[in-house]
Amino acid sequence: MLQLLRFLIDTIQPFLVPICFVCAWAFMSAIAWSLWTVVRDSVESSKRLHQIPCSHCQYFTGDYRLKCTVQPSIASTEVAIDCLDYQPKTNPLLY
């Protein structure tokens, strides 16, 4: 039994280094691809969230209890990007 095991180990040994090399690079490539995907998705999400105009609207209160006096249910969400009730602030000191 031990002789068979020794024979198998001696047979496989020349292939172990290339197999481990390829597996290690495949693992590193998978990590790099995963990090790239996370960064790409974060940038896309950030761009979409920066399109929300609520903070520059005259109806936006800034209070966490009532963020908007006209559309409180969609205030500061992605739904508010195309808000029909948006009116820019007329007083620049209120920013």
Side-chain angles (χ1 to χ4, degrees):
M1 181 71 180
L2 290 175
Q3 292 174 350
L4 178 64
L5 185 61
R6 172 120 176 132
F7 174 74
L8 286 174
I9 291 174
D10 288 339
T11 305
I12 295 173
Q13 191 172 8
F15 302 107
L16 286 179
V17 172
I19 290 172
C20 289
F21 179 78
V22 170
C23 288
W25 276 106
F27 181 70
M28 294 301 291
S29 298
I31 289 175
W33 182 260
S34 176
L35 288 174
W36 169 252
T37 304
V38 167
V39 168
R40 185 190 64 207
D41 292 345
S42 297
V43 167
E44 288 175 6
S45 175
S46 177
K47 284 181 181 179
R48 188 172 53 251
L49 291 177
H50 280 301
Q51 293 176 350
I52 299 173
C54 290
S55 62
H56 302 293
C57 181
Q58 71 178 5
Y59 302 119
F60 187 72
T61 63
D63 187 7
Y64 70 94
R65 293 171 287 191
L66 181 65
K67 294 179 183 177
C68 178
T69 56
V70 178
Q71 296 278 350
S73 61
I74 66 168
S76 297
T77 63
E78 291 182 34
V79 180
I81 291 175
D82 295 324
C83 182
L84 297 175
D85 297 317
Y86 173 75
Q87 293 292 322
K89 289 184 181 177
T90 55
N91 188 353
L93 298 176
L94 295 177
Y95 285 114

